[in-house]
Amino acid sequence: MNSDYAEYAVKRVLQAVVVILLAYAFTFVVISVLPGDPVTNTLRNPQNGFTEDEIGRIVSYYGLDRPVHVQLWESLSRLVVGDLGVSLRSGLPVDRLIGDVLGSTLLLATSALAVALVLAFAIGFGTQYLPKRYGQGLLRAFPSLFLSVPNFVIGLVLINVFAFQLGLFRVIDSEGGLATFFAAIALGIPVSAQVAEVLIANLDHEAGQEYASVARSRGLGQARLFLRHLLKPSALPVVTVIALTVGELLGGAVITEQIFGRTGIGSLVERSVTTQDLPVLQAVVTLAAVIFVVVNLVADLAYPLLDPRVRLADAKPREREEAS
Amino acid sequence: MNTFRAARRVRPPGRALRMIVGLATVVALAACGPGVAANSGGGSGEPTQGGDITFLIDSLGDTWIPNNSAISSFQGHIWGHLTDKLVYVDEKGAVSPWVGESWEQNDTATEFTLHLRKGVTFSDRTPLDAAAVLANLDIWAKGDAARGINPIGLFPKTYDHAEAVDAATVKVFFKAPTLGFIPTLGYHGSILISPRTIALPAAQQADLANDLGSGPFVLSSWKEGDSVVLKKRADYDWAPAALEHQGPAYLDSITYKLVAQPSVRTSAVQSGQADVAYNPSPQELKSFADQGFTTATPRYLGFVNGFAVNTKVAPFDDVKVRQALQHGIDREEIISTVYTPDWLPAESLFQSNVPGATDHSADFAFDAAKAGGLLDEAGWAKGADGVRTKDGKPLRLTLYANPYLATSKSVDELIAQQLGGIGFEVDIQAFDVVTYGERVKVNSPSVAAYEVTRSFIDAGIVAGVLTDANKGENWFGLGQTDPKLVELATGVASAGTVDARASLLDELQGHVLQQGYFVPITQIVQRVYLQSPKLHGVSYNGIAYADYYAAWLG
């Protein structure tokens, strides 16, 4: 098993490196074929009234007049030594830009994940044990409802009600505790939908199993049955779903951060996309690829730990089957 | 705030279901917002010391490298408080002393002598003396391409060099008459920065903390793309006399916070969480004013919003067709539909507050019948579908909505309707800033009407844009084929005094408008402010930036 594990780990790490480099090069090519760049765009703003000669000299300083493959090669060589370059838009080093905002996004994403999990498990429990007349059926509609309400609508409602009407938090203090909490709710709600869907389906499945009927017939309380017998097997596939929601969390953060006035990876991406700030976008895409790959790797490794019956060798097939 | 809470019951929170049921009302919620507790603001009283204000802005722009950003609409707010200028230009375009205490010029406006105010220091206590002014003049005029530093847009290209006569006197030399030099020193790009900052490479200048000025506020903290916090400088003592306040600012601090959602910005001011919301929608201003808030729509000095017509593009090579465009646009309808009465119709190609602007509105007054008559005379006959044709070709015009002006597309849509009524077939193209910059250019053979929005301090700038004499921008595609225009523009450029220039400027505006080269629409208000009624003493300079140096909370 140890040599299996080593081979497995090496393969995954190599895969990850390839994914990251491809993401990097792909971003470069896509952005480079689009017309314009932030330096030229700023200089060409009619308010400035610069001559072509003046524009040309600055563009040349940034190396933007060189062929795309030369620029890509230089960019890749810099990446290898850990130099992420300088933002074309702001002129600040890219690692500083990312360092400034990464913490805020990680806090938002993990809080949103916590919100999503609490919501999903509450809904899951409710669908099993809430009496029918108190809306058990209605609870089952929640995941699709959560998915269909746009993220920004939830955000605007939360801000209007809790910031402006109730005064619980201030929009200017966007990184404050309560502001972060409500932003996490806005981001967590759509994510909880996916987790809840999978959880409900598995709870239904497990509740119908023989061992559950036996437990019930022996007079086991509902809460104990849920916690001791149904939860663990039903929660396993949730780990896979959580790994898949990382993309959702990062993507949703773009909008949530905008609405709540937070500065994070999302808002950095938004600004960099609109201005075609290539070095920043490449760094962010690379970072997202790293996070995605690492989280999925961790999920794969955690799987056998949660269920000792799952051996490493057959961890992958099971994961695929359950996730689909 | 308390009275409001008591008066208006809000549903208990925490009921997810109710919240979702309430989703449909989100637009209404956002539009109404909480009411304001009526606050007379004690506006009559004396200024009070202290207080902190929050300014919600829609973007913090791109970079903080002073030369590369000082012209930006967003950074202009912050630079205005962190830095001083050599002269002050008010909203009427009047120039008055600031760090430049007085100045003289020779008869041909090619040599200027600036006498500096003594005792002015940057926030690191280094003196703002002649050497510092020299360093600034050089970097404004030439930039430093080797370090990625731009020159300042609109700084006179005729600049030759400057020299220090003594510690408080600077002499500036130009290769040709440059009457606009002194007013340009009050332009938002001409900010005085510490020579230590100027010597830094671009990547370090991009960190606002390294950019030292001599203004009434200094940087307290900043976070890229998020906020900038300024605090008052206690030993500030060189404000322009025009602001009618000396010594340190009244306010302790100003926080500029980026909030992208317009409704969140305005609701935050309405609920008392912030003091200023930048750029609310024009249509909402009246309701805010009715609720007791202060609204401000200062105009800036510059060209009016209008179209520069490319005379090389048929059928606009025909003066009658160009004049039909001018008379076919109903400016009053644009103001009543898209804007509010705070906006003014254009009277010339300059905003009416520009010194030297004269009223030529009769030359392009709305008159649909006259416009139709001109088109008839030009041989464009109306077909059954209402579109005029000549030699089988329809009378067609494409308008490119200006992405730098939020209301441009709505205005173009209305213009398309109005021109459609007199037989034009108008279509509108709206591009993002990047595509617009690539596709829509002055002199492009596909762009018959280029929408102009450009601020300036001195009307002398026309000499460099109307024709291609002296590498001019050649807005109308005329080259130098209109000798009268070249003569007038040259006369404006080479005038030695403002008085001698005034009649030439008047004649030039008349000529450009009578020939239909420029189609004015409305005077531009590019900066709109919604303010708390508690905030007093705000001033607006010639570029319509709100200045909080003399502002106070009451």
Side-chain angles (χ1 to χ4, degrees):
Chain A
M1 183 154 164
N2 273 342
S3 68
D4 278 357
Y5 185 87
E7 192 191 322
Y8 175 66
V10 167
K11 230 168 100 184
R12 289 306 300 264
V13 169
L14 283 179
Q15 264 178 0
V17 171
V18 171
V19 165
I20 289 160
L21 286 178
L22 280 179
Y24 192 86
F26 184 73
T27 317
F28 195 101
V29 172
V30 167
I31 308 270
S32 299
V33 297
L34 292 173
D37 62 77
V39 174
T40 322
N41 292 339
T42 309
L43 296 170
R44 278 198 203 286
N45 181 334
Q47 290 280 351
N48 284 325
F50 287 129
T51 62
E52 285 301 319
D53 188 39
E54 286 167 329
I55 294 173
R57 270 183 284 160
I58 301 286
V59 166
S60 153
Y61 166 81
Y62 285 98
L64 294 167
D65 51 350
R66 282 174 292 174
V68 171
H69 66 270
V70 177
Q71 292 185 47
L72 174 60
W73 179 250
E74 285 188 1
S75 179
L76 275 170
S77 333
R78 275 205 314 263
L79 177 70
V80 171
V81 294
D83 178 2
L84 296 173
V86 170
S87 157
L88 292 178
R89 183 183 60 82
S90 67
L92 288 166
V94 174
D95 50 6
R96 172 180 166 166
L97 284 176
I98 290 184
D100 279 355
V101 298
L102 189 59
S104 160
T105 299
L106 286 181
L107 178 67
L108 175 65
T110 48
S111 315
L113 186 62
V115 167
L117 289 179
V118 168
L119 259 178
F121 280 92
I123 292 171
F125 185 81
T127 57
Q128 299 302 315
Y129 300 111
L130 198 68
K132 282 228 161 42
R133 61 193 168 104
Y134 289 124
Q136 191 205 66
L138 193 67
L139 272 183
R140 289 178 181 270
F142 269 38
S144 32
L145 188 65
F146 284 176
L147 271 183
S148 55
V149 180
N151 187 303
F152 72 90
V153 174
I154 301 175
L156 283 177
V157 170
L158 290 176
I159 288 181
N160 264 290
V161 173
F162 295 103
F164 297 146
Q165 308 272 355
L166 298 176
L168 286 184
F169 67 96
R170 287 155 58 84
V171 282
I172 58 158
D173 183 24
S174 55
E175 311 285 324
L178 268 173
T180 302
F181 174 68
F182 285 107
I185 290 180
L187 179 56
I189 283 179
V191 173
S192 76
Q194 303 177 7
V195 181
E197 289 270 21
V198 174
L199 190 64
I200 292 170
N202 282 284
L203 282 171
D204 287 350
H205 175 79
E206 297 294 335
Q209 297 286 309
E210 211 169 297
Y211 75 90
S213 315
V214 171
R216 265 195 293 269
S217 67
R218 286 172 49 204
L220 200 66
Q222 290 193 330
R224 284 189 65 175
L225 174 68
F226 181 82
L227 289 174
R228 289 187 56 174
H229 295 285
L230 301 184
L231 193 58
K232 203 170 169 188
S234 305
L236 268 175
V238 168
V239 174
T240 306
V241 177
I242 291 172
L244 293 174
T245 55
V246 170
E248 187 87 4
L249 286 168
L250 291 178
V254 177
I255 298 155
T256 311
E257 285 171 359
Q258 280 273 313
I259 302 275
F260 282 83
R262 294 175 66 88
T263 320
I265 294 286
S267 55
L268 183 64
V269 167
E270 194 268 338
R271 274 177 290 139
S272 307
V273 167
T274 49
T275 52
Q276 299 181 2
D277 196 343
L278 189 49
V280 179
L281 279 177
Q282 281 187 291
V284 174
V285 168
T286 311
L287 179 73
V290 169
I291 293 177
F292 203 81
V293 166
V294 167
V295 169
N296 277 284
L297 192 64
V298 169
D300 285 351
L301 297 179
Y303 218 88
L305 299 178
L306 284 170
D307 187 350
R309 291 173 303 170
V310 182
R311 295 192 156 248
L312 188 65
D314 40 59
K316 283 185 72 74
R318 184 188 160 91
E319 171 197 349
R320 293 267 178 269
E321 180 192 302
E322 301 267 5
S324 60
Chain B
M1 215 36 233
N2 284 332
T3 46
F4 148 67
R5 266 187 219 157
R8 190 156 165 180
R9 286 288 295 263
V10 177
R11 288 178 187 153
R15 300 283 298 271
L17 193 61
R18 281 204 176 179
M19 193 186 77
I20 285 162
V21 171
L23 282 184
T25 61
V26 64
V27 178
L29 271 174
C32 307
V36 65
N39 187 337
S40 62
S44 57
E46 282 289 299
T48 49
Q49 292 285 345
D52 308 282
I53 63 165
T54 305
F55 184 112
L56 302 183
I57 194 165
D58 43 352
S59 162
L60 277 168
D62 288 341
T63 178
W64 291 106
I65 298 170
N67 265 34
N68 300 9
S69 67
I71 208 131
S72 145
S73 183
F74 306 105
Q75 271 91 343
H77 291 283
I78 289 150
W79 289 125
H81 294 95
L82 284 178
T83 65
D84 293 320
K85 301 187 182 75
L86 284 162
V87 303
Y88 184 79
V89 176
D90 70 11
E91 56 204 306
K92 295 192 181 72
V95 180
S96 59
W98 194 345
V99 175
E101 214 163 28
S102 61
W103 49 86
E104 300 105 44
Q105 67 186 69
N106 66 358
D107 293 342
T108 51
T110 52
E111 287 177 34
F112 295 80
T113 307
L114 289 163
H115 303 281
L116 306 178
R117 188 163 174 161
K118 293 192 179 82
V120 180
T121 56
F122 292 104
S123 55
D124 63 352
R125 306 288 187 270
T126 55
L128 200 176
D129 54 11
V133 170
L134 282 189
N136 276 279
L137 285 167
D138 278 342
I139 202 84
W140 294 342
K142 298 169 194 159
D144 186 351
R147 287 190 294 137
I149 311 284
N150 303 345
I152 297 277
L154 301 188
F155 194 83
K157 310 273 186 216
T158 46
Y159 177 81
D160 188 74
H161 73 285
E163 52 194 48
V165 177
D166 58 50
T169 314
V170 176
K171 241 183 142 183
V172 192
F173 299 85
F174 290 87
K175 291 176 209 142
T178 310
L179 257 190
F181 172 61
I182 294 292
T184 300
L185 296 175
Y187 196 69
H188 54 326
S190 313
I191 53 173
L192 292 164
I193 294 286
S194 160
R196 280 196 204 176
T197 302
I198 293 173
L200 294 174
Q204 286 185 47
Q205 288 192 29
D207 182 347
L208 186 57
N210 292 331
D211 301 334
L212 305 179
S214 58
F217 287 84
V218 293
L219 186 77
S220 171
S221 67
W222 80 286
K223 191 174 172 198
E224 161 73 10
D226 177 69
S227 57
V228 175
V229 184
L230 308 180
K231 59 173 192 257
K232 102 162 91 173
R233 187 174 162 187
D235 62 344
Y236 186 78
D237 196 22
W238 42 85
L243 289 180
E244 294 173 354
H245 171 50
Q246 288 295 311
Y250 297 120
L251 294 172
D252 287 336
S253 78
I254 311 172
T255 299
Y256 289 87
K257 166 77 184 166
L258 192 150
V259 174
Q261 275 290 321
S263 67
V264 176
R265 288 199 300 275
T266 50
S267 301
V269 171
Q270 286 182 300
S271 66
Q273 293 201 353
D275 304 278
V276 189
Y278 188 54
N279 282 348
S281 141
Q283 288 90 345
E284 288 182 291
L285 290 179
K286 192 178 175 312
S287 92
F288 293 136
D290 291 346
Q291 293 169 51
F293 292 96
T294 313
T295 60
T297 52
R299 284 174 297 157
Y300 67 31
L301 301 166
F303 291 100
V304 297
N305 184 220
F307 300 112
V309 181
N310 186 344
T311 58
K312 276 204 186 116
V313 177
F316 302 98
D317 48 355
D318 185 337
V319 63
K320 289 203 163 75
V321 176
R322 298 198 297 264
Q323 288 167 341
L325 269 185
Q326 290 181 322
H327 295 295
I329 295 174
D330 183 351
R331 293 156 189 90
E332 292 293 345
E333 192 188 17
I334 291 172
I335 286 171
S336 63
T337 311
V338 181
Y339 299 117
T340 74
D342 295 320
W343 271 253
L344 299 173
E347 295 176 354
S348 171
L349 62 156
F350 304 140
Q351 306 257 96
S352 58
N353 49 339
V354 169
T358 40
D359 188 346
H360 293 265
S361 44
D363 288 330
F364 54 89
F366 172 59
D367 186 341
K370 186 173 179 181
L374 283 161
L375 291 172
D376 287 335
E377 285 172 38
W380 293 89
K382 227 171 187 172
D385 59 352
V387 175
R388 289 175 188 267
T389 54
K390 182 180 177 180
D391 306 328
K393 280 187 186 160
L395 182 57
R396 193 173 279 161
L397 173 66
T398 302
L399 297 179
Y400 298 89
N402 182 346
Y404 296 102
L405 195 67
T407 44
S408 173
K409 187 154 176 280
S410 319
V411 171
D412 284 356
E413 280 162 1
L414 201 54
I415 289 175
Q417 271 181 33
Q418 293 171 352
L419 293 178
I422 58 168
F424 275 90
E425 185 184 280
V426 184
D427 77 307
I428 298 166
Q429 298 261 5
F431 297 129
D432 60 284
V433 167
V434 176
T435 318
Y436 185 85
E438 289 289 313
R439 301 264 299 267
V440 187
K441 291 173 185 161
V442 164
N443 272 324
S444 159
S446 63
V447 179
Y450 179 85
E451 190 175 328
V452 172
T453 46
R454 190 187 285 187
S455 61
F456 60 69
I457 283 281
D458 183 73
I461 187 168
V462 287
V465 301
L466 302 184
T467 71
D468 65 3
N470 298 315
K471 289 191 189 165
E473 292 178 36
N474 197 18
W475 277 8
F476 314 125
L478 289 165
Q480 295 172 48
T481 56
D482 181 340
K484 188 170 179 194
L485 184 63
V486 176
E487 189 197 313
L488 287 169
T490 312
V492 165
S494 54
T497 66
V498 173
D499 288 342
R501 199 179 67 172
S503 62
L504 287 169
L505 268 177
D506 177 47
E507 209 180 327
L508 180 135
Q509 292 166 74
H511 181 70
V512 165
L513 294 167
Q514 281 149 23
Q515 290 297 313
Y517 296 146
F518 192 87
V519 183
I521 310 170
T522 56
Q523 305 210 29
I524 299 183
V525 175
Q526 212 182 7
R527 312 188 211 290
V528 181
Y529 303 85
L530 168 67
Q531 272 168 192
S532 156
K534 288 188 283 185
L535 191 54
H536 307 279
V538 182
S539 58
Y540 299 91
N541 66 12
I543 329 288
Y545 285 115
D547 186 332
Y548 297 107
Y549 162 66
W552 49 281
L553 286 167

